[in-house]
Amino acid sequence: MAKQLDPYEMAVAQLKKAASVLGLSDEIIEILAVPERVIQVKIPMKMDNGKTKVFIGWRSQHNSALGPYKGGIRYHPNVTMSEVMALSMWMTWKCALLELPYGGGKGGVKVDPKKLSRRELEDLSRKYFAALSRFVGIDWDIPAPDVYTDPQVMAWYVDEYINIIRKMEFGVVTAKPDILWGLKARVISTGYGVAVVAREAAKKILGGLEGRTIAIQGFGNVGSFAAKFLSEWGARVVAVSDSKGGILNNRGLNIEEVIRIKRETGAVLNYEDVEKKLTNEELLESEVDILIPAAIEGVITKDNAPRIKARIIVEGANGPLTPEADEILFKRGVFIAPDILANAGGVTMSWIEWVNNRMGGWLSEEDAMRKLDEKMMNAFVKFYNYCQRRSDVDYRTAAQALAIERVVSAMKLRGWI
Ligand code: NAD
């Protein structure tokens, strides 16, 4: 197991690497390394047993050169300020890469939500957002869900916020329930975006998607929708897995069926039309054209990177490759679509929801999907062309450099540097 790097140290190391490609000064690196603001809030809360407990939450607002801060809020017992700061920096790069009118933000509350009753969860959510209310806003900072937060939590945030500011600004958070002016398409958007990036990469590198073989690790929200769209577009999804293990059929899996089996039994292993069952390690090394790690971080390391057979890796999950694996695969000529590009479909759909909220509900779900496809495709093409020009730079650094260049240009124009 590789040593766990502090996420913020890792984000700063990546920033420095990308900055050296761009020839940025130490002054600019210093400005970009530190968030503009990190808000810490104390949330004292009366629990169901009558005792008061204090929770701590943060919101890191990393950079606003291109627009309001954008990024999720997570509830997790291991959340730290350092983690939230790192994630907010990656959000700045992700939004800039997708050319969304946003900077980066991220929030978190140190809590195990599984140990809270529903009343406690609602109370905690309302108190956290009330504490943040003067620091967020439709034109200032627009949160969304992340680990263990969902549309219901967003609905509580909106309700609390509306009562405090006395304005019906539903657009202050995104990925809301559709009744409260969210978009139904939000649930499929990250997986759809992953599929668009895989499709476009296949066009450039493999001459097209038709008949190409794909393995996907993780069959949750991101992995299952990526599988669905890619198989609908003519690719052969031959292997998928979840935490219990994987399945392989070289003739192609019937994805609608696998989705049904997973929903009804909780495991893809119960799908029967397979040639072979696979461990998650074997899935990553399977003989396919495209590999999509869409489960957890750090699964491709220096140990298994030399045995990866895919020519394209599309990062559905956040951080599935370790820095050593990145280097090995780059040297081996494997094309990597990094997470800040590949899994940006969610934040892109959040932007469409936010625009729609501002327009009073003008867009249809079809408009939203069309826009998502166009935005992901354009970002991919810009990234790919940049990689062609800078073939000396690895893919992760290239994606970050492209994003950072935009942020720095905006800072220069605004007179910050
Ligand atoms: P999810 O909980 O819906 O699904 C996760 C899947 O991974 C499940 O099928 C689970 O069984 C499987 N899994 C868990 N541990 C595993 C292991 N050790 N080996 C193999 N499979 C394992 O989560 P999700 O929303 O699909 O998110 C997946 C990844 O994508 C995460 O890294 C997340 O941060 C990232 N991501 C998600 C979104 C989004 O909008 N959902 C957006 C950006 C990034």
Side-chain angles (χ1 to χ4, degrees), residues 10-33 89 93 386 390 392-394 396-408 411-412 417:
M10 192 158 134
V12 172
Q14 289 177 355
L15 162 66
K16 287 184 177 162
K17 198 167 169 195
S20 74
V21 168
L22 295 168
L24 298 180
S25 66
D26 289 347
E27 173 203 4
I28 297 178
I29 295 173
E30 202 181 340
I31 296 175
L32 291 173
M89 192 189 300
W93 311 151
Y386 185 84
R390 293 298 310 259
D392 56 318
V393 178
D394 69 85
R396 190 169 321 279
T397 308
Q400 296 206 353
L402 196 54
I404 291 168
E405 201 170 33
R406 265 179 87 78
V407 175
V408 171
M411 294 200 310
K412 282 188 178 152
I417 38 179

Side-chain angles (χ1 to χ4, degrees), residues 88-332:
S88 70
M89 192 189 300
W90 286 319
M91 283 309 296
T92 302
W93 311 151
K94 187 183 269 194
C95 292
L97 190 63
L98 268 290
E99 302 192 1
L100 304 178
Y102 294 138
K106 202 82 179 191
V109 180
K110 194 172 180 61
V111 59
D112 185 350
K114 290 181 185 157
K115 292 194 177 140
L116 300 181
S117 69
R118 191 175 159 89
R119 187 209 64 82
E120 288 168 340
L121 183 68
E122 175 174 350
D123 204 24
L124 178 80
S125 300
R126 288 184 180 277
K127 288 198 161 78
Y128 170 68
F129 215 69
L132 275 192
S133 60
R134 77 188 78 165
F135 303 101
V136 296
I138 194 164
D139 283 316
W140 193 259
D141 184 351
I142 307 132
D146 195 77
V147 178
Y148 293 131
T149 51
D150 60 12
Q152 175 61 74
V153 172
M154 298 304 113
W156 290 324
Y157 286 167
V158 163
D159 186 64
E160 193 66 24
Y161 184 73
I162 284 175
N163 287 333
I164 291 170
I165 68 157
R166 300 189 64 255
K167 270 199 223 160
M168 304 281 178
E169 283 184 359
F170 287 86
V172 68
V173 296
T174 56
K176 298 178 290 290
D178 57 300
I179 286 281
L180 293 177
W181 313 110
L183 289 168
K184 286 200 184 81
R186 178 64 171 80
V187 60
I188 63 172
S189 57
T190 305
Y192 186 90
V194 168
V196 171
V197 169
R199 180 188 78 200
E200 296 307 309
K203 276 189 207 159
K204 298 281 187 197
I205 295 155
L206 308 171
L209 187 64
E210 189 70 37
R212 298 298 172 190
T213 54
I214 300 184
I216 303 180
Q217 183 187 49
F219 206 69
N221 174 271
V222 178
S224 65
F225 284 116
K228 173 179 150 60
F229 292 112
L230 286 164
S231 63
E232 280 174 17
W233 298 340
R236 201 149 34 103
V237 179
V238 297
V240 300
S241 69
D242 57 31
S243 58
K244 301 191 182 82
I247 49 176
L248 171 85
N249 186 337
N250 279 308
R251 282 174 285 116
L253 298 161
N254 178 338
I255 295 302
E256 289 295 344
E257 264 309 285
V258 184
I259 290 176
R260 186 180 67 78
I261 297 286
K262 168 80 181 163
R263 190 177 53 236
E264 288 174 6
T265 72
V268 296
L269 280 173
N270 295 320
Y271 175 84
E272 282 174 357
D273 185 17
V274 299
E275 272 166 39
K276 207 170 134 190
K277 295 197 168 155
L278 297 171
T279 63
N280 264 294
E281 292 71 34
E282 288 167 338
L283 177 131
L284 295 170
E285 296 170 24
S286 47
E287 198 79 52
V288 286
D289 298 310
I290 304 174
L291 174 64
I292 305 181
I296 53 168
E297 71 285 351
V299 291
I300 304 179
T301 65
K302 65 176 179 359
D303 300 324
N304 59 0
R307 295 194 297 273
I308 300 286
K309 320 246 175 2
R311 286 177 61 196
I312 298 173
I313 298 178
V314 180
E315 293 188 334
N318 284 321
L321 273 63
T322 64
E324 293 104 329
D326 254 342
E327 214 176 296
I328 294 168
L329 291 162
F330 180 61
K331 283 195 188 130
R332 287 189 47 214

